[in-house]
Amino acid sequence: MSDPVWGELRVRCIEAQYDEEYLAGPPRTYCKLLLLETFKWRRRQHKTACEGLQPRWNDEFLFEDVCANSKLTIDVWNAADDPEEFLGKATIPLAEVVPARGGAPKAQVAPWFELMPGRVRLELRWTPYVDTERTLLDTPVMLTADDGGAPPPSPLPTGAPAPPPKPVASPAITRVQATSAVGTAAAMGSPGSPMETRMEEPVMPVRPGTAKPTPAKAPEVAPPRKTPQKSPQKSPRTVARGQLKAQEQAYEDDDFEDDFEDDEELFIEYTDRGGSGKENQDAYFVHRFDEKNAVLGVFDGHGPDHGKVAAWAAARAVKAFLIEHFKELATDPEGTMTRCFEQAHNSVFQAISSQPGVRVHQGLLVIDVDEEDWPLGYDAADGGTTASVAALLDGRTLVYAASGDSCSVLGVPSGKGNGHAVTDLVPEHSPTNMHDWVTYLQGTGVHCVFDHEAMFDNQPHNLLPIFTPTPNGGWEIAQSTMDKTKELGVGLKTARGDLAAVIMTPESGKFSQMMLGVTRSVGDFYHQTYGVTWRPEVVVKDLYAECMANDHSDGAVLIVASDGVWDHWTFDGCMEELLLPDAGPPGQPLTTAKRARAFFEKTRDMGEEAFGEGADNLTGVVVILPRPPPPPPTAPTKAGVTRDEFGA
């Protein structure tokens, strides 16, 4: 195997364009750039955030001594919200675009990258080193296709033109950053000198007639972890190999050094559109009232026309409802979450009905189509979303509600180091969910069938129903059916062995046959006439009891994620990846922010390897939950039963 190419990477963040309907208010945005290398993560970010729906930063960032095996990510954040809102990510594996020595680029990436509520425009230039003394080639290689500054292919946000961007100080950059240990000799100083640090301080305004305030004292900087120093006489390849070896020895279970991340962070968020041919139809939110009370949600939209609209409408509605009714969760978790999901369902109806070409006909949402495609001249409008919503009450109680197949898992490491207790909080509401078939779907005329290539030929003969009636009046998934799935080549849906299955409206229905992969959904209004329901399943967990039940564990880790994550992991495998090996005993950290982000990046790579440009959107939130103190003693109460689950 040939040695990797080394060089200098310049990234120019030019501008962004946002869709106004997906933002709660005027945005103030900036970019964070991460260079993910085997031996270190390096960060750059804007010094200012720009206001408006069409901000222009035009800032250039330099990364030196870059190995072409690295990966570049660009995260866009909205500083107008508190806490700041993550708007999306662009990911560029350099190995796919950086040319071999003396060659042309392997490929050119598009200059525009899709975000959740819009798009961002980037320019990448690569200058390879031509010798071991870090001599640069005279002419850099452009890695982004030259579009001449043309607008993106999708339409711009409607409404009045955005005002010129106004630079605003970003609170996110008022923190100490360590200069990269693989930086230039000038940045490092002489070999053996301490690592240089820099602090970007906010400008402190002075009101007329008042004394000038004392500048804020910079926080103390912990001494950097010891890493091999770079000598100007050594080639970058030699230095990198030496650093990698030293890192592996110094940080046994820590593949990445990450000086800038706050490993005390308790909520770690991630979203990515997946394959380059995909629209990111995921949405999510995190709202923290204080360190012990918070709400969050992940929404996986589906439907080619209105999936994104549905996910964003549901996310906004759920967030607003839970902020207003948060206290009610303590006394009526099932009822509060049910009302919340109903509000989200109604909001999705309103959002889709306002889209071009969509109207309400006899109580259903329909969209105008060519009569050659459908004799009525209109068809059922698509659009729905899963909803996975969690609430943390006083750091002690976890309330979780879900509709759809976006799973959430609670992992509790053993307090004695004897493994992890892993709980799938709510089973997937997929077509193989027998409870939902019996309760909501059977008898409505809808088909719950395994998905295979010949299913549309010679209906209904070639349909393979999932459930078979039993002599005693019940239902089962018969062994003969499972044998038939192998014969017909029914594929696997997830790494956990789930078979591909769908809910299909009948061919005799008023509208064209529509398929859906879930038994519960917020939206999907045509399927709701056949028994699909928006109603959530709700569970309540006492976090102190969960920790004590597993050898007095020191805490738990929650992950709420879309199926773009869960398609690739077993639940146990996910927690093995997230939790630190020594997690559980008192005083041991459960996981870190960088470990959680590395998990999501690994998942993204797995999706790309398996599905290429068709890789699904993936979104997730990891929450670190320290064990709460013991509950205070209570007076004796009348005998009764405490239920842990609701909404079954």
Side-chain angles (χ1 to χ4, degrees):
M1 184 174 67
S2 60
D3 289 335
V5 177
W6 289 78
E8 176 183 281
L9 178 67
R10 292 180 182 270
V11 183
R12 188 159 67 99
C13 296
I14 304 173
E15 61 182 322
Q17 297 177 340
Y18 306 119
D19 299 326
E20 185 175 14
E21 64 177 305
Y22 297 118
L23 296 173
R28 196 170 75 243
T29 53
Y30 67 97
C31 296
K32 289 182 181 179
L33 285 71
L34 279 176
L35 186 67
L36 279 57
E37 301 170 293
T38 306
F39 47 89
K40 189 176 180 67
W41 287 11
R42 289 189 263 172
R43 183 181 75 170
R44 304 286 187 272
Q45 73 178 57
H46 290 135
K47 294 182 179 179
T48 57
C50 285
E51 291 182 342
L53 294 174
Q54 300 182 39
R56 288 189 64 89
W57 305 289
N58 216 28
D59 288 342
E60 186 172 280
F61 303 91
L62 171 65
F63 294 94
E64 297 178 295
D65 292 328
V66 176
C67 177
N69 289 340
S70 306
K71 182 192 297 182
L72 177 70
T73 69
I74 299 93
D75 295 351
V76 181
W77 289 83
N78 183 8
D81 289 348
D82 185 17
E84 296 182 353
E85 180 183 13
F86 182 38
L87 298 184
K89 174 188 294 287
T91 303
I92 306 169
L94 297 184
E96 296 180 4
V97 292
V98 168
R101 289 183 180 84
K106 296 179 183 178
Q108 285 196 327
V109 295
W112 289 95
F113 294 84
E114 183 189 353
L115 307 172
M116 289 193 295
R119 56 204 69 82
V120 61
R121 183 178 172 216
L122 307 171
E123 179 185 274
L124 277 68
R125 284 176 289 165
W126 170 263
T127 309
Y129 296 142
V130 296
D131 55 36
T132 59
E133 302 302 320
R134 300 172 63 250
T135 304
L136 292 170
L137 189 70
D138 291 339
T139 305
V141 180
M142 294 296 297
L143 302 182
T144 44
D146 183 11
D147 68 344
S154 52
L156 299 180
T158 57
K166 176 183 177 182
V168 181
S170 169
I173 52 87
T174 57
R175 60 193 302 183
V176 175
Q177 295 176 311
T179 302
S180 167
V182 198
T184 62
M188 290 299 303
S190 59
S193 63
M195 184 180 292
E196 178 184 331
T197 60
R198 56 190 173 89
M199 176 69 183
E200 297 167 336
E201 296 184 0
V203 177
M204 303 188 67
V206 182
R207 290 182 297 174
T210 62
K212 183 177 180 180
T214 303
K217 183 179 179 181
E220 294 183 3
V221 183
R225 289 179 283 191
K226 189 174 182 180
T227 56
Q229 297 297 317
K230 178 180 181 297
S231 169
Q233 283 73 39
K234 294 182 179 180
S235 73
R237 188 181 306 111
T238 303
V239 174
R241 287 173 175 167
Q243 281 205 330
L244 177 57
K245 184 175 181 180
Q247 294 283 358
E248 290 173 345
Q249 294 173 351
Y251 314 114
E252 297 176 351
D253 189 63
D254 197 356
D255 293 333
F256 305 96
E257 183 185 358
D258 190 353
D259 292 327
F260 55 81
E261 290 292 353
D262 179 8
D263 281 343
E264 298 301 318
E265 193 174 350
L266 299 181
F267 290 73
I268 302 98
E269 311 157 28
Y270 184 97
T271 187
D272 189 273
R273 71 171 180 174
S276 59
K278 302 281 286 190
E279 175 188 52
N280 193 348
Q281 295 186 328
D282 288 355
Y284 83 97
F285 72 87
V286 175
H287 181 84
R288 300 179 67 179
F289 300 94
D290 54 46
E291 63 180 10
K292 293 184 178 181
N293 295 278
V295 290
L296 63 98
V298 171
F299 305 82
D300 184 357
H302 45 258
D305 295 325
H306 308 116
K308 183 174 181 178
V309 173
W312 278 80
R316 284 195 295 264
V318 169
K319 180 180 179 181
F321 184 94
L322 290 181
I323 289 174
E324 181 179 355
H325 300 276
F326 181 75
K327 292 182 179 180
E328 298 170 26
L329 288 167
T331 55
D332 184 16
E334 180 188 12
T336 303
M337 282 295 191
T338 300
R339 292 193 301 275
C340 177
F341 275 55
E342 184 177 23
Q343 179 66 46
H345 186 65
N346 293 335
S347 296
V348 170
F349 187 94
Q350 295 298 325
I352 295 178
S353 66
S354 66
Q355 299 303 302
V358 178
R359 54 192 172 89
V360 180
H361 178 73
Q362 296 179 352
L364 281 177
L365 291 177
V366 299
I367 186 168
D368 295 327
V369 298
D370 195 318
E371 290 190 11
E372 293 182 1
D373 298 327
W374 194 248
L376 289 175
Y378 58 88
D379 200 359
D382 70 13
T385 181
T386 69
S388 304
V389 181
L392 180 64
L393 313 182
D394 200 28
R396 179 178 300 281
T397 303
L398 175 66
V399 179
Y400 176 72
S403 290
D405 62 352
S406 295
C407 303
S408 295
V409 173
L410 184 69
V412 183
S414 167
K416 297 180 180 179
N418 297 327
H420 316 313
V422 179
T423 304
D424 176 19
L425 292 176
V426 169
E428 282 189 36
H429 299 130
S430 66
T432 55
N433 187 312
M434 186 176 296
H435 174 275
D436 284 2
W437 165 254
V438 172
T439 306
Y440 300 115
L441 300 173
Q442 64 99 8
T444 66
V446 75
H447 303 292
C448 278
V449 295
F450 286 109
D451 190 359
H452 62 93
E453 289 186 1
M455 63 188 297
F456 285 102
D457 300 334
N458 191 24
Q459 285 194 34
H461 176 73
N462 274 9
L463 294 180
L464 182 58
I466 297 170
F467 304 105
T468 303
T470 62
N472 61 0
W475 295 88
E476 67 175 358
I477 302 178
Q479 183 58 49
S480 58
T481 301
M482 298 306 295
D483 294 340
K484 190 73 171 178
T485 62
K486 298 177 183 178
E487 179 184 330
L488 293 173
V490 176
L492 293 178
K493 174 190 171 188
T494 71
R496 300 180 299 283
D498 302 321
L499 292 175
V502 295
I503 295 171
M504 182 187 296
T505 59
E507 191 175 18
S508 59
K510 182 176 181 179
F511 299 113
S512 58
Q513 278 191 293
M514 298 179 69
M515 295 189 297
L516 187 65
V518 290
T519 58
R520 305 193 193 197
S521 173
V522 177
D524 290 305
F525 299 98
Y526 183 45
H527 283 91
Q528 300 267 341
T529 65
Y530 288 96
V532 171
T533 180
W534 53 264
R535 292 184 176 276
E537 192 167 348
V538 184
V539 297
V540 180
K541 295 292 182 182
D542 181 329
L543 295 176
Y544 177 78
E546 294 290 324
C547 292
M548 297 302 288
N550 198 21
D551 300 324
H552 296 203
S553 176
D554 212 29
V557 169
L558 170 70
I559 175 171
V560 181
S562 64
D563 61 357
V565 172
W566 296 117
D567 285 350
H568 306 287
W569 294 96
T570 64
F571 300 137
D572 287 330
C574 165
M575 278 300 158
E576 288 289 339
E577 196 77 15
L578 279 176
L579 291 167
L580 291 168
D582 297 331
Q588 295 295 327
L590 299 170
T591 188
T592 62
K594 67 182 173 189
R595 190 176 180 94
R597 291 191 174 95
F599 163 80
F600 286 122
E601 287 294 336
K602 182 175 182 178
T603 305
R604 182 193 178 281
D605 291 343
M606 293 164 71
E608 189 174 74
E609 181 179 349
F611 302 109
E613 292 188 358
D616 199 3
N617 315 145
L618 61 153
T619 298
V621 181
V622 172
V623 186
I624 302 172
L625 301 166
R627 186 182 76 195
T634 56
T637 59
K638 294 181 180 180
V641 177
T642 301
R643 290 189 63 197
D644 186 57
E645 299 187 1
F646 304 90

